[in-house]
Amino acid sequence: QTLPSKKTMLSPNTLSPITLTYLSFGHLYSTPSPSYHDLPPFDVRFLPLAPPSVIRLSGVSLACKRELLRNPSKTEQTETWTTIHDIVERSFELVRVKIDEGYGFSCPISVTVFIGSN
C-alpha cells in the first residue's frame, strides 16, 4: 500500500523527511517518560527468550535473525511474528495519521516507538 502524494507549496516534490525510530528499553530500569511517547510502549516480556545459542550474537547477524524468526510450522503465525506485525502496522498507521494532519517538508515526521522487555 502506498501513501497518497500531494504536491503543495510546502512539499513541492511530494517528498517529506520521515524518521521512524525503534528504541528498546528494560522495564527493570523504568519506562521512558510519557512526553517522549508517540505510541504507548510495547511490552514484549511475554515473548519467549532467545535460545542460548544466539544470546551472544549481534541482533543484526543473519544467524540471530534466522533463529529468532524461525517458524517451524510454516502455516501458522508465531507469537513473535504476530507481535512484530502489530508493532510495524501501528507505527506506519501513526505515520499515515501525521501525514493526514498536515506534517510535511516544513514540519518533518518523526515517530519514536518504545519496545520494552526484561
Side-chain angles (χ1 to χ4, degrees):
Q1 182 178 8
T2 59
L3 296 172
S5 59
K6 297 179 194 171
K7 231 178 202 184
T8 65
M9 279 187 8
L10 297 177
S11 181
N13 299 322
T14 68
L15 302 173
S16 65
I18 298 175
T19 304
L20 236 67
T21 306
Y22 293 92
L23 293 174
S24 64
F25 68 94
H27 280 284
L28 179 66
Y29 303 107
S30 83
T31 306
S33 170
S35 63
Y36 295 116
H37 299 175
D38 289 314
L39 290 171
F42 288 94
D43 186 358
V44 296
R45 290 180 284 186
F46 63 90
L47 291 177
L49 295 175
S53 60
V54 297
I55 284 181
R56 290 205 171 20
L57 293 175
S58 162
V60 295
S61 74
L62 181 60
C64 184
K65 289 178 187 177
R66 190 178 320 126
E67 184 63 33
L68 294 176
L69 300 177
R70 186 172 46 127
N71 186 355
S73 68
K74 301 290 185 210
T75 56
E76 62 185 58
Q77 293 291 337
T78 63
E79 213 170 7
T80 304
W81 274 111
T82 304
T83 304
I84 291 169
H85 184 268
D86 181 45
I87 291 170
V88 170
E89 191 65 34
R90 289 177 60 192
S91 302
F92 281 98
E93 182 58 35
L94 183 59
V95 170
R96 288 186 199 108
V97 167
K98 287 192 173 203
I99 288 172
D100 292 342
E101 288 176 354
Y103 284 79
F105 196 78
S106 65
C107 187
I109 297 171
S110 179
V111 173
T112 303
V113 179
F114 291 93
I115 303 171
S117 62
N118 288 334

